[in-house]
Amino acid sequence: MSQKTSTHQSEAHQEEVLEEASSMAAPLVFEVIRREGAEELQRPNSSLAMSAMIAGLALGFSVLGKALFHAHLPDAQWRPLVENLGYAIGFVIVIMGKMQLFTENTITAVVPFLTRPAHHVFVRIMQLWGIVLVFNLAGSALFAAAVYHIRFTEPEVFDALVTISEHAVEGGVWQTLFLGVGAGWLIACLVWMMPNAGSSKLFLIILITWLISLAGFSHVIAGTCEAVLLMLTDHLTVGQGLFGFILPALVGNILGGTVIFTGLIWAQIRAERCEVDPAFVVQKLRRRR
């Protein structure tokens, strides 16, 4: 092997190592999310519904996980820092399991429309949103009903569930909407960071969802589990749960995830994305998987 050939191979290897170590630029991340969104929009409605139902049920474990920490930790100033880690459990299941979560779709499903603002794409987004939202909420409500019917098996944990649920829905309409913006923005931010997370995806999910819970932000799906639980225990009327929490949280999540975060990201990269080479995106994705 000649010295020239050896030098060329060494340089190529160094280039590959540097490429692997570097993070994807914003236009590439946008293209990755666009491709994922396009795939989601093409999935059958039945698949979306079942995946969303499972996700709603799984997200109930975020509420239960937080309650378990609350019930078993001593009443100390540091307890919120630890108990809110339990909130990450359901999100880890849903996101790592590639299930349909409405607040993820406030960015993922919308990005294809930004690049191709056609009427049929918008209609399909509305269909996907409707299906995923309804079955997310149904799954979350079913989880709350299941916990309510076995409340006597672990009364201390159930009391903790009621306590944290009351705290979650105690704000008024406008406060819930405002807190919903924070949750929607952070979930969209999580989706945006995932393509560059590599082996740190699990840590990233835990960190972001822990912050959502610690800050008291309102997540419409996890919050529905809490609201329904309070309705079943007569701590909340149906009207208060629906119009005082679920709808304001939903509006806030959409504003934070779609209008604010995704809108700002689109404003950032719209002039650059035309320079993205699709073949390079595929190559980059294969190397990171």
Side-chain angles (χ1 to χ4, degrees):
M1 184 182 292
S2 67
Q3 183 178 358
K4 185 177 180 180
T5 303
S6 177
T7 302
H8 177 74
Q9 290 179 344
S10 177
E11 289 177 352
H13 177 70
Q14 289 177 11
E15 182 68 25
E16 185 176 337
V17 170
L18 287 172
E19 187 178 318
E20 293 252 352
S22 64
S23 60
M24 287 190 286
L28 285 175
V29 175
F30 187 90
E31 179 62 18
V32 170
I33 295 174
R34 186 199 68 78
R35 287 166 178 257
E36 292 178 354
E39 291 176 2
E40 295 297 333
L41 292 174
Q42 292 173 5
R43 292 186 66 185
N45 290 342
S46 57
S47 298
L48 292 172
M50 290 301 98
S51 180
M53 174 69 80
I54 297 169
L57 287 164
L59 217 58
F61 285 99
S62 282
V63 181
L64 180 60
K66 184 176 177 179
L68 286 167
F69 276 85
H70 183 92
H72 295 293
L73 288 173
D75 187 9
Q77 289 185 340
W78 51 263
R79 183 168 72 176
L81 294 173
V82 180
E83 74 175 29
N84 284 292
L85 286 171
Y87 193 76
I89 295 172
F91 286 93
V92 169
I93 296 171
V94 170
I95 297 173
M96 297 297 285
K98 295 292 184 179
M99 300 170 193
Q100 288 291 328
L101 182 61
F102 176 79
T103 45
E104 282 190 279
N105 280 318
T106 58
I107 176 172
T108 307
V110 173
V111 165
F113 177 77
L114 295 176
T115 58
R116 188 184 178 189
H119 178 263
H120 73 276
V121 178
F122 177 79
V123 170
R124 181 53 183 160
I125 290 172
M126 293 299 102
Q127 290 176 343
L128 182 145
W129 272 15
I131 293 168
V132 172
L133 177 63
V134 167
F135 282 89
N136 273 175
L137 295 177
S140 184
L142 281 174
F143 187 93
V147 169
Y148 175 75
H149 283 95
I150 59 171
R151 62 191 182 277
F152 298 115
T153 58
E154 293 284 349
E156 291 183 358
V157 175
F158 187 79
D159 289 342
L161 276 167
V162 173
T163 299
I164 65 173
S165 297
E166 287 178 326
H167 178 69
V169 304
E170 65 184 2
V173 171
W174 292 107
Q175 181 179 340
T176 300
L177 191 151
F178 177 76
L179 293 173
V181 171
W185 195 94
L186 282 173
I187 292 295
C189 183
L190 173 60
V191 173
W192 180 259
M193 291 188 292
M194 288 290 277
N196 270 326
S199 59
S200 301
K201 287 180 180 179
L202 179 61
F203 172 76
L204 186 62
I205 296 168
I206 293 172
L207 177 65
I208 296 297
T209 53
W210 169 77
L211 180 58
I212 289 172
S213 182
L214 184 65
F217 290 142
S218 301
H219 188 274
V220 63
I221 310 304
T224 294
C225 180
E226 295 165 325
V228 170
L229 189 65
L230 293 178
M231 293 179 204
L232 293 172
T233 55
D234 295 326
H235 287 78
L236 205 65
T237 67
V238 174
Q240 288 172 332
L242 181 60
F243 298 104
F245 179 81
I246 295 175
L247 286 179
L250 172 62
V251 173
N253 289 170
I254 294 173
L255 286 175
T258 300
V259 178
I260 299 177
F261 187 89
T262 307
L264 291 175
I265 287 295
W266 176 239
Q268 172 196 348
I269 60 90
R270 63 181 303 178
E272 299 177 88
R273 67 170 301 272
C274 59
E275 302 174 4
V276 174
D277 181 3
F280 180 70
V281 174
V282 173
Q283 183 184 28
K284 194 83 169 176
L285 285 174
R286 284 175 179 171
R287 287 183 178 178
R288 288 177 178 270
R289 283 173 181 171

